[in-house]
Amino acid sequence: MNKFRIGSMEDYEKAYKSSIDDPEGFWSAIAKNFLWDKEWDKVLEWDFDKFDVKWFKGGKLNITANCLDRNLKDRAEQIAIQWEPNDPVQVGRTLTYRQLFIEVCKFSNVLKSLGVTKGDRICIYMPMVPELAISLLACARIGAIHSVVFAGFSSNSLRDRINDSECSVLLTSDGSFRGDKKIDLKSIADEALEECPTIRNTVVFKRTGDHVTMQSGRDHWWHELMQAADSKCDYEIMDAEDMLFILYTSGSTGKPKGVVHTTGGYMVFSWYTFLNVFQYNEREMYWCTADIGWITGHSYIVYGPLLAGATTLMFEGVPTWPTPERFWQVVEKYKVNIFYTAPTAIRALEAYGVDHVKKYKMDSLRVLGTVGEPINKEAWDWYNVHVGKERCPIVDTWWQTETGGIMISPLAGITPLKPGYATLPLPGIRPVLVDNDGKLLEGNNVDGILCFDFPWPGILRTTFGDHERCRNTYFSTYKNLYFTGDGCKRDEDGFYRISGRVDDVINVSGHRLGTAEIENAINEHPMVVESAVVGYQHPIKGQGIYAYVICDSKHGNDESLISEIKAVVNRIIGPIAKPDIIQIVPGLPKTRSGKIMRRILRKIAGNETDNLGDTSTLLDPSIVETIKAGAINK
Ligand code: PRX
């Protein structure tokens, strides 16, 4: 067993203490576990005020040498990626470590043949097929920076992300399958590319086989380029602080930010957290149901598991198609040992009833995990009883795109569990709670805002092209602290429970969306004068989207206007941002200085209208009664 795998509560306490007493010694011992072309000169340099963090400065390496080349020695014939397609009738695919290595080398050469060099940005807009993972790794192998855009985003979202980081190549596919839907990815990409001047080439993977238009000179078929590609490709030697990838995520203001992760620290952190949280054992079948379009897929489908030499299962489909048994079929079919999913999926499946789960033999399961949003007690219990048969620890993992890896979570079977709690920080992680004024809340049994007062290797380094925005977003709210945006309780035992966002970010089915971003999309409808979006508690999605919209008086039929507004949001951002509820209102509750009082709108959306608090500072307090009277019941 790997000596860095924590084996007992006592071990955890020891590791935690040593990570606090000597963080540099702690992380450098872990980092030595990897292949480096040159060891670092300095383990850590940091300054939260300017926000400048460097881990393993001067170190030289390539992450794919650690994910692939290194694994050829002992596990070349072991399955690296087990792929399960959307439709259970189709056959899956397997790629051993050797096969994956060859595919990555070949595709690295394809990228090189298109003129891609170190530091270039490559946008990836692909379905959940093995070629998506191959794309990430091929970029990393030649030092190109990948920027994956979730394939459910619209052409506008894709265009904005490509332009923000000036990508030179787009990797996409003819289409994708998701449940009973077929999505025409290439047409969406074509629409985006009309306004993407930096894209010189695209590579199109054939998935659906549907006819697509290929622009001569720009668009190339994946399979054709691969046919001619050489299977030998030396890796590019990267600096530990060279960018590995950009991943866009929503915040409370403005457009999504390109969160930047670098090579050395991210590698060490994604591996260490994977190994310890899931207590991964050699040869286990590991399945994370996320999409690689999100950080969970980057860290815990691709990098973490491959660095650990695990078999990672990639699933193209959705939990409820063709039946709500799909997940459990897959668990049984591949004898999955570790299963990591989102609370929203658990709640959705719970709603279909337990008979669907009971049919399947799932005794291979050893560890269950959740991520992305708070898990309610009922869903936790259901997961524990019906999926885990009360013998699998559930790791409720709290983290963010910006943290690169899991920060607060039980270690499966090692540290205690408490339903609804992410429990304890991982070694090296130093959470602090502050009140609204930034005053440190010491001791236990306190409620506040979750921050961190010391860097960890997976922390973001910047937001692409705008360091000041990064500093402002994460390091200016409270001096010398990383601000997460989450509310949090530390209970009497010192366990952490995350309560949700304290800013204007909402979490819909585990997807992070900025309310301002949705409002901007709604406001694009020509009949919309102004809008305000808030989240409300939703039984399946965690949070639903409630939009209050002021319309032009000549807008005509309400119902058709509402569906048009939904269509606009769908077009501008994508289906995940479509409001669940739209209430047409004559005005919004604004203060005299013109600020919308969202607190009131949140309460109305949440049916908590008995105590709306002080409304006397509003410009027109009567508007509150009007909105209340027209509120839409859920
Ligand atoms: O609000 C927290 C919630 O998801 C946010 C981060 O979203 P994103 O960057 O998209 O990354 C999601 C996957 C890592 C956090 O600020 N969140 C994530 N995990 C949990 C959670 N809330 C409660 N419990 C969790 N386990």
Side-chain angles (χ1 to χ4, degrees), residues 296 372-374 396-401 486 498 501 507 512:
T296 307
E373 42 175 328
D396 174 355
T397 64
W398 178 89
W399 59 296
Q400 307 179 297
T401 305
D486 278 328
I498 282 71
R501 302 289 302 198
N507 193 327
R512 180 168 155 184

Side-chain angles (χ1 to χ4, degrees), residues 247-250 259 294-297 300 340 343 370-375 395-406 408-409 420-422 450 482 484-487 497-503 505-507 510-513:
L247 187 57
Y248 285 85
T249 190
S250 298
V259 166
W294 311 110
I295 190 71
T296 307
Y300 299 112
Y340 188 30
T370 71
V371 59
E373 42 175 328
I375 180 161
V395 291
D396 174 355
T397 64
W398 178 89
W399 59 296
Q400 307 179 297
T401 305
E402 296 85 342
T403 69
I406 298 168
I408 305 182
S409 168
Y421 282 71
L450 179 63
Y482 167 82
T484 62
D486 278 328
R497 177 191 171 86
I498 282 71
S499 50
R501 302 289 302 198
V502 294
D503 53 6
V505 168
I506 50 182
N507 193 327
H511 301 319
R512 180 168 155 184
L513 295 160

Side-chain angles (χ1 to χ4, degrees), residues 533-551:
V533 165
V534 296
Y536 69 93
Q537 209 184 344
H538 187 285
I540 306 283
K541 297 176 172 186
Q543 281 191 298
I545 304 174
Y546 195 121
Y548 299 88
V549 180
I550 307 177
C551 292

